[in-house]
Amino acid sequence: MRHVWMVACIALSLTAARAPAHVVYGSPTLYQLVVDSDLVVRARILDRATTGGAEEIQNRPLVGAKVLAVYKGSHDSTEIRFAQHGHGVPTYEPGDEALLFLRRIERVRELDQLAVTGETAWVSLQEHDSAYTMTPAAKSTFDAAVRAYVAAAATPEPSARLASIRAVTIAQLRSPEPRLANSALRDLVLMGAALVTADNAPALIEISDDPTLGIGIRLGVLTVLEQLGMVDGPPRWAHLLQNTPAPDRLAVVRAAAAHPSAPVTVELVKLVEGDDAELAAAAAVSLGVPGNEAAIAPLVHAVEHGDDRLQMAAIRGLGRIATKSAQAALEQISQNHPEPAIRRRATGEVARLTKSSP
């Protein structure tokens, strides 16, 4: 689980090449929503009101919608009304078109009284991170994805079902819609070896190498492949540090901190010594890997000759290396650097290292 968390935190929060890839680790994936729902529809929001009734269900949002397509389950009417339940529920506006993942309300104990009153038979447990509103242009993309997930989840034989999920996941990693691609990446992270086989490695390597895809997806896939031992990670990370163009290169530099190796250190040192101030500072921090002795001399040089931002980043990197040699370098900086702010920052790192020493 530690490795899954690391992959999710580092890879999934990166910025995609063409759109933000903000992903909340705990939010359900599209596939999970399909599996957990009794009814999956695409609908146009008509109104949003609140319930009356007993005190414990007052102010419970009720949403009315016109059903445009049914993907899973059955619903006879052209309109539907559902309760919202959970923390941070989506806020819909009349006219919004959205995917709705609904459960029968009797399955949710807290809402039993709504079921008794007959105000609604359905409840959505979607939170704001899984609202899945869409533009008209994205409608066909979402439609195809949901139908594929519903078909995969309905496959009766376990091995065939897993194969279907695998195929849909790999296909959605290439989706032009960031929410679909990021959802597929979370499935890849969560299922890991249960989902990925050696036969799939070439297709996933191709995704990781594809410069037309969002950098967050590429790095996430590479991280999973490396974690599963299906690629030799250090040369691939070094290649990305060398060849990824701006603005994606900054994301690679930050992610590289979780994948330390001699080739990665060499490339990060080049960036610390380069002309791009933002990359240099980020590289200095990423060099700060516990025990990375090879980075101490370049970071000390950066403190001596870099601008203020790089100096502070290099001190942070030295503190994260946390060896006796790194601490000695910080002590020298705290005593001898001409800038008071740099001496104070180095002194703080020395105090922290001293306090944490056994």
Side-chain angles (χ1 to χ4, degrees):
M1 190 64 184
R2 175 177 172 270
H3 291 149
V4 169
W5 177 255
M6 178 186 72
V7 173
C9 286
I10 294 168
L12 301 185
S13 63
L14 298 172
T15 301
R18 292 185 294 272
H22 178 70
V23 178
V24 178
Y25 174 68
S27 59
T29 68
L30 187 64
Y31 176 68
Q32 290 169 330
L33 287 169
V34 165
V35 169
D36 291 343
S37 299
D38 298 313
L39 180 67
V40 181
V41 302
R42 175 166 49 86
R44 182 174 295 113
I45 304 301
L46 299 176
D47 59 69
R48 185 174 187 270
T50 55
T51 68
E55 181 179 351
E56 62 268 27
I57 59 173
Q58 285 179 353
N59 300 320
R60 180 76 59 184
L62 275 179
V63 181
K66 180 180 180 180
V67 176
L68 303 175
V70 178
Y71 303 104
K72 178 184 178 181
S74 61
H75 184 70
D76 296 333
S77 174
T78 59
E79 293 190 6
I80 193 168
R81 184 166 291 274
F82 61 94
Q84 292 182 286
H85 178 61
H87 301 288
V89 298
T91 300
Y92 298 111
E93 298 294 334
D96 283 349
E97 199 160 319
L99 296 175
L100 304 177
F101 300 88
L102 307 174
R103 292 180 180 177
R104 294 200 172 277
I105 201 162
E106 58 267 24
R107 293 181 61 191
V108 184
R109 180 174 301 176
E110 299 95 319
L111 303 185
D112 278 348
Q113 293 197 41
L114 274 177
V116 171
T117 65
E119 291 184 79
T120 180
W122 303 102
V123 58
S124 167
L125 300 187
Q126 288 171 256
E127 299 185 359
H128 68 281
D129 294 302
S130 54
Y132 284 108
T133 54
M134 68 192 76
T135 63
K139 190 184 310 181
S140 61
T141 301
F142 278 100
D143 182 87
V146 174
R147 291 187 188 280
Y149 279 120
V150 169
T155 304
E157 201 276 318
S159 62
R161 181 168 60 251
L162 184 60
S164 296
I165 298 166
R166 183 182 299 121
V168 177
T169 301
I170 292 174
Q172 290 306 314
L173 287 169
R174 290 188 171 277
S175 175
E177 168 53 55
R179 286 175 289 176
L180 296 178
N182 288 322
S183 176
L185 182 55
R186 292 203 305 278
D187 283 326
L188 192 72
V189 170
L190 292 169
M191 288 189 262
L195 189 66
V196 181
T197 69
D199 291 340
N200 312 129
L204 291 171
I205 290 171
E206 187 176 326
I207 289 171
S208 178
D209 290 341
D210 189 343
T212 68
L213 297 178
I215 194 63
I217 298 300
R218 295 176 61 198
L219 296 184
V221 170
L222 174 57
T223 300
V224 171
L225 288 169
E226 185 180 17
Q227 188 67 48
L228 296 176
M230 293 183 173
V231 296
D232 186 4
R236 288 184 172 275
W237 284 98
H239 176 80
L240 284 171
L241 287 166
Q242 289 173 344
N243 297 288
T244 304
D248 292 341
R249 203 175 193 186
L250 184 61
V252 179
V253 169
R254 289 171 174 165
H259 304 270
S261 68
V264 166
T265 293
V266 168
E267 296 306 321
L268 290 175
V269 168
K270 291 178 183 177
L271 294 174
V272 168
E273 297 171 348
D275 297 328
D276 188 313
E278 186 174 29
L279 283 177
V285 174
S286 289
L287 281 169
V289 174
N292 190 11
E293 292 277 335
I296 293 176
L299 290 176
V300 169
H301 185 269
V303 174
E304 293 172 349
H305 301 287
D307 61 18
D308 292 347
R309 181 178 181 181
L310 179 56
Q311 289 173 325
M312 292 296 187
I315 290 172
R316 181 181 174 189
L318 287 167
R320 291 170 65 175
I321 291 172
T323 62
K324 291 182 178 180
S325 298
Q327 183 169 341
L330 286 167
E331 289 170 350
Q332 287 292 320
I333 294 167
S334 70
Q335 296 166 11
N336 301 320
H337 199 279
E339 294 294 331
I342 300 299
R343 293 199 302 271
R344 286 194 298 270
R345 178 62 186 269
T347 299
E349 288 293 333
V350 170
R352 183 183 62 81
L353 292 174
T354 301
K355 183 178 180 179
S356 62
S357 297

